[in-house]
Amino acid sequence: MSSKLVGVGVGPGDPELVTVKGVNALRAADVVVVPVMDTGERGRAEATVLHYVGQEKVVRVVFALNERTDRARRETAWDAAGDRVAQLLAEHSCVAFATIGDPNVYSTFTYLAQTIAELVPGTVVETVPGITAMQDLAARSGAVLTEGTEPLTLVPVTAGAAALKEALAGPGTVVAYKFGRQAQEVAEALRETGRIDDAVWGSALGLPEESVRPASELGEAALPYLSTLIAPAPRGGGRGGKL
């Protein structure tokens, strides 16, 4: 009988934002894999998981989560992580992998699932959706993500602000992920496109060090890597104006 690998979205950090289905999946699994950097500190996924399962059930697996330039190092880490998870699948019928946010939105789980498909053919792969940082930031800041026919564009700023600037020139709401190290560039793009007044950013959502601030306060200092920004669509015409 084939083993099962389940990617479980555990939200952006607030343990109360894990879905009931997510909690059930974590508890039903034989082991829960959490990704950690090679520096060894506890990440958000692990901290969230420990609210629902015991430490004895958690297996920490190193991923090159902070590697953007050295592809060889990143691939080596992914291969090693895949080998470890493949070993766990040989020993257990159900392995869960906890990922912050959603397992199908910019998640390490995507690469792990691809690796396992090659290493352990026949493994059943499932995902449990999780609440995303943009949803949490919208709730905490009061920013409305979309109305009527507005488009929504999600841009990771890890490769620079050019794609963000292009999206901001359009008519819809723009969300920027992982923009902390390019905070100054992001602020400049918002000002150039006239979108800074209604924009908000947040980091460490749901955690003691949470920060939710207007984008107009962005300065030159770098922010936490996992910062999120929402620039709502320009709106007018009153209630239902975008229908």
Side-chain angles (χ1 to χ4, degrees):
M1 188 173 180
S2 298
S3 293
K4 181 166 64 175
L5 175 65
V6 185
V8 182
V10 296
D14 184 345
E16 292 187 349
L17 291 181
V18 184
T19 67
V20 173
K21 187 169 185 176
V23 172
N24 289 340
L26 294 173
R27 290 175 173 169
D30 299 307
V31 294
V32 179
V33 172
V34 294
V36 296
M37 293 191 294
D38 52 13
T39 47
E41 66 265 27
R42 177 176 292 173
R44 289 191 196 177
E46 181 177 6
T48 303
V49 164
L50 290 175
H51 282 266
Y52 298 105
V53 302
Q55 182 71 63
E56 72 282 354
K57 192 173 179 176
V58 174
V59 177
R60 308 176 92 227
V61 175
V62 174
F63 285 77
L65 298 171
N66 59 344
E67 183 56 69
R68 300 292 166 190
T69 57
D70 188 338
R71 179 165 184 169
R73 176 176 175 267
R74 186 173 66 234
E75 295 283 353
T76 298
W78 284 348
D79 288 344
D83 288 341
R84 179 68 178 111
V85 174
Q87 178 186 0
L88 291 171
L89 286 165
E91 300 168 353
H92 303 283
S93 61
C94 182
V95 174
F97 179 90
T99 178
I100 59 171
D102 182 278
N104 294 303
V105 180
Y106 299 129
S107 171
T108 305
F109 181 74
T110 302
Y111 313 120
L112 176 64
Q114 293 171 353
T115 303
I116 291 301
E118 297 176 359
L119 293 177
V120 192
T123 299
V124 176
V125 177
E126 298 177 357
T127 57
V128 177
I131 291 174
T132 61
M134 63 178 168
Q135 292 170 287
D136 196 10
L137 178 57
R140 294 176 189 276
S141 67
V144 176
L145 285 169
T146 55
E147 290 184 4
T149 58
E150 294 170 354
L152 173 65
T153 304
L154 175 59
V155 181
V157 192
T158 46
L164 174 65
K165 191 178 296 185
E166 181 180 348
L168 289 168
T173 293
V174 178
V175 175
Y177 271 8
K178 305 176 184 179
F179 81 92
R181 295 172 187 166
Q182 288 86 25
Q184 186 174 6
E185 295 177 60
V186 168
E188 291 172 358
L190 288 166
R191 292 190 179 95
E192 288 177 15
T193 55
R195 301 285 293 273
I196 198 165
D197 290 340
D198 296 326
V200 295
W201 71 272
S203 64
L205 301 174
L207 302 175
E209 63 271 28
E210 172 183 291
S211 180
V212 177
R213 311 290 297 176
S216 58
E217 297 182 7
L218 286 172
E220 296 183 3
L223 304 176
Y225 172 67
L226 290 177
S227 295
T228 299
L229 175 123
I230 299 174
R235 295 184 179 121
R239 184 174 62 183
K242 293 294 187 75
L243 293 175

